[in-house]
């Protein structure tokens, strides 16, 4: 992969990169399309990264369908598909991990303490293999994007991070490979995440500025669904990712939800600019 990327660079071709764990959906496809618009060559990687799953998480059962992924990528005209083996990425006696400190410990980090260490490590490895000029991420994993931006800045990686809007099903459910785990009833229960975000938007539009009040109404909405179990509902500043008490006119905030529906853990968010 590295040899190929060096060759492409020698030919003055810009490389767009879409890192994925496969089981691709419209959200991933939107990233590939953005990459094709912005770069001369697009590389997609598929690698279910064991280092970002805790032992009690779903690494083994994470959905995989390589044939479907390959067909989809061929249809939209992806230039290169990079599918390394776990044993190639983490060779015997592998010892090096990348940790992005403060921002990895909050929110997702409170519930998945080693997750971002695994993400930062695999992306460092993939960046060194693919040598991308641009790397495309979905905004659904808002904190992942923030962690990676921090890593890029701190470790002086040269790729530019481009975050792309969340792609939703017609009824509002954010696309995710993990949606496949939901039963029919849970699939409809899962809409409560989007409903709670819409409620937050409405409250802000109506003039509510106190984070506690907005959050408690979002929590009530989510708790009205029996199969839900909230990990967190938070409002953070878009740039610093720090929690806020009240919303200030002209500023932008992430409204973030992490919640289990049955056994499936889902995350969703919206950015709201306060007028
Ligand atoms: O968002 C994902 O699918 C993964 O965290 C990523 C960025 C491919 C790293 O394994």
């Amino acid at each position: 992969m590295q040899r190929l990327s060096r060759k492409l660079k020698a030919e003055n071709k810009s490389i767009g990169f879409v890192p994925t764990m496969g089981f691709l959906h419209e959200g991933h496809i939107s990233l590939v399309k953005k990459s094709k618009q912005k770069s001369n060559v697009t590389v997609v990687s598929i690698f279910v990264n064991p280092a970002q799953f805790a032992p009690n998480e779903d690494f083994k059962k994470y959905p995989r369908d390589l044939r479907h992924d390959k067909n989809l990528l061929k249809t939209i005209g992806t230039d290169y598909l990079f599918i390394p083996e776990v044993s190639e990425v983490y060779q015997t006696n592998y010892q090096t991990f990348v940790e992005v400190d403060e921002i990895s410990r909050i929110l997702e980090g409170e519930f998945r303490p080693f997750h971002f260490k695994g993400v930062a490590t695999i992306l460092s490895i993939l960046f060194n293999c693919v040598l991308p000029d641009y790397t495309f991420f979905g905004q659904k994993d808002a904190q992942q994007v923030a962690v990676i931006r921090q890593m890029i800045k701190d470790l002086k990686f040269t790729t530019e991070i481009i975050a792309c809007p969340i792609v939703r099903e017609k009824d509002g459910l954010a696309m995710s490979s993990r949606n496949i785990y939901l039963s029919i009833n849970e699939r409809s229960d899962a809409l409560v995440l989007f409903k709670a975000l819409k409620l937050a938007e409405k409250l802000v539009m109506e003039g509510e500025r106190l984070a506690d009040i907005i959050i408690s109404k979002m929590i009530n909405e989510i708790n009205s669904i029996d199969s839900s179990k909230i990990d967190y509902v938070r409002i953070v500043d878009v740039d610093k990712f720090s929690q806020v008490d009240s919303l200030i006119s002209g500023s932008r905030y992430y409204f973030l939800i992490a919640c289990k529906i049955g056994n499936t853990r889902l995350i969703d968010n919206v950015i709201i600019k306060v007028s």
Side-chain angles (χ1 to χ4, degrees), residues 50-62 110-115 178 181 229 231 260 263-265:
Q52 69 190 71
F53 291 81
N56 61 332
E57 292 182 346
D58 56 344
F59 171 69
K60 279 219 176 92
K61 73 166 192 172
Y62 193 83
E110 290 166 37
F111 295 87
R112 308 183 71 192
F114 304 105
H115 174 66
R178 287 189 168 100
Y181 298 149
K229 189 168 173 292
D231 274 353
K260 273 192 170 169
N263 288 325
T264 306
R265 188 174 186 278

Side-chain angles (χ1 to χ4, degrees), residues 19-21 28 45 47 49 52 62 115 118-119 122-123 126 137 141 144:
T20 81
M21 299 205 299
H28 297 111
S45 66
F47 183 70
N49 174 33
Q52 69 190 71
Y62 193 83
H115 174 66
V119 171
I122 188 61
L123 286 171
L126 291 173
F137 292 97
D141 297 297
Q144 170 168 275

